[in-house]
Amino acid sequence: MKLIFATNNAHKVAEINAVIKGDVQVISLEEAGINIDIPEPHDTLELNATEKSKTIYELTKMNCFSEDTGLEVLSLGGEPGIKSARYAGEGRSFEKNIEKLLHKLENVANRSARFRTVISLIIDGRETLFEGICEGQIIEEKRGTGGFGYDPVFVPNGADKTFGEMTLDEKGLYSHRRKATEKLVVFLSNMSPIFNSLSTSNEI
Ligand code: IMP
């Protein structure tokens, strides 16, 4: 079975493919030959995730899913949240977004933050949402060159490395995206015998 993943972000595709195994083949928008930039006009992750998956479902009538993720910093009242991709302006620069975040947190003692991922899955026209959360801390200077987005400044609780210093598998041990994807896998496994051979990559 094919599931279109409504994203153009290769990092997200790799992280999700590390979790979904078995009979489900995840294909990116590029692999599906779809070349659109889907808008994220809403003020919740849930509505933006729904917007993305519905757009692709209406276009293709194929089973699909999308995800929307935000970094929520406690002492900034949940910012950047849904503005995570464009925190420093329209340019979508990871570097500039991190600079702005670190600037806002200068001399701020409470650096608690969390990543929250919402997945919207559409199977035969019916939508189901899944959530995954990873709690952690924003450090004062970037460490590591792996991953994407805010990975170099985020240390998940229980770890001593930033996501930017971790391998894909290490990030998966803590990741918001992995947690949401595991719920999707369980849902598909329970839905139909077709999906019974699905398994997650828990064994790392
Ligand atoms: P999106 O709208 O779901 O693509 O994500 C919004 C922004 O959040 C991205 O552009 C990244 O800056 C950031 N982001 C999302 N997921 C992650 C992650 O796993 N690590 C670090 N940053 C992330």
Side-chain angles (χ1 to χ4, degrees), residues 12 40 52 67-69 84-85 94 115 148-151 171 176-177:
K12 290 185 176 181
E40 298 175 10
K52 289 190 260 190
E67 67 95 86
D68 206 34
T69 297
S84 294
F94 295 149
F115 279 111
F148 71 104
Y150 300 90
D151 279 349
K171 180 176 177 183
H176 42 295
R177 187 164 295 105

Side-chain angles (χ1 to χ4, degrees), residues 7 9 12 15 40 45 48 52 67-71 80-86 92-94 97 115-117 147-152 154 163 171 175-177:
T7 189
N9 182 326
K12 290 185 176 181
E15 287 184 22
E40 298 175 10
L45 297 176
N48 282 329
K52 289 190 260 190
E67 67 95 86
D68 206 34
T69 297
L71 174 69
I82 51 151
K83 295 185 229 144
S84 294
R86 298 179 180 82
R92 276 177 174 259
S93 156
F94 295 149
N97 288 341
F115 279 111
R116 193 165 77 87
T117 290
F148 71 104
Y150 300 90
D151 279 349
F154 183 85
F163 272 163
K171 180 176 177 183
S175 156
H176 42 295
R177 187 164 295 105

Side-chain angles (χ1 to χ4, degrees), residues 57-123:
Y57 188 75
E58 275 159 20
L59 199 67
T60 64
K61 297 293 176 219
M62 280 181 66
N63 295 330
C64 61
F65 69 99
S66 73
E67 67 95 86
D68 206 34
T69 297
L71 174 69
E72 300 172 344
V73 180
L74 197 65
S75 58
L76 299 179
E79 270 193 24
I82 51 151
K83 295 185 229 144
S84 294
R86 298 179 180 82
Y87 197 37
E90 275 308 308
R92 276 177 174 259
S93 156
F94 295 149
E95 284 288 314
K96 291 208 167 89
N97 288 341
I98 288 178
E99 265 171 41
K100 178 170 177 181
L101 178 69
L102 294 184
H103 181 65
K104 285 213 158 196
L105 287 176
E106 263 167 28
N107 303 317
V108 175
N110 186 342
R111 306 180 73 92
S112 297
R114 66 180 195 172
F115 279 111
R116 193 165 77 87
T117 290
V118 174
I119 290 180
S120 161
L121 170 72
I122 300 186
I123 299 285

Side-chain angles (χ1 to χ4, degrees), residues 98 102 111 138-144 152-154 162:
I98 288 178
L102 294 184
R111 306 180 73 92
I138 303 297
I139 58 168
E140 289 180 4
E141 281 178 11
K142 289 192 289 182
R143 288 195 337 233
V153 290
F154 183 85
T162 67

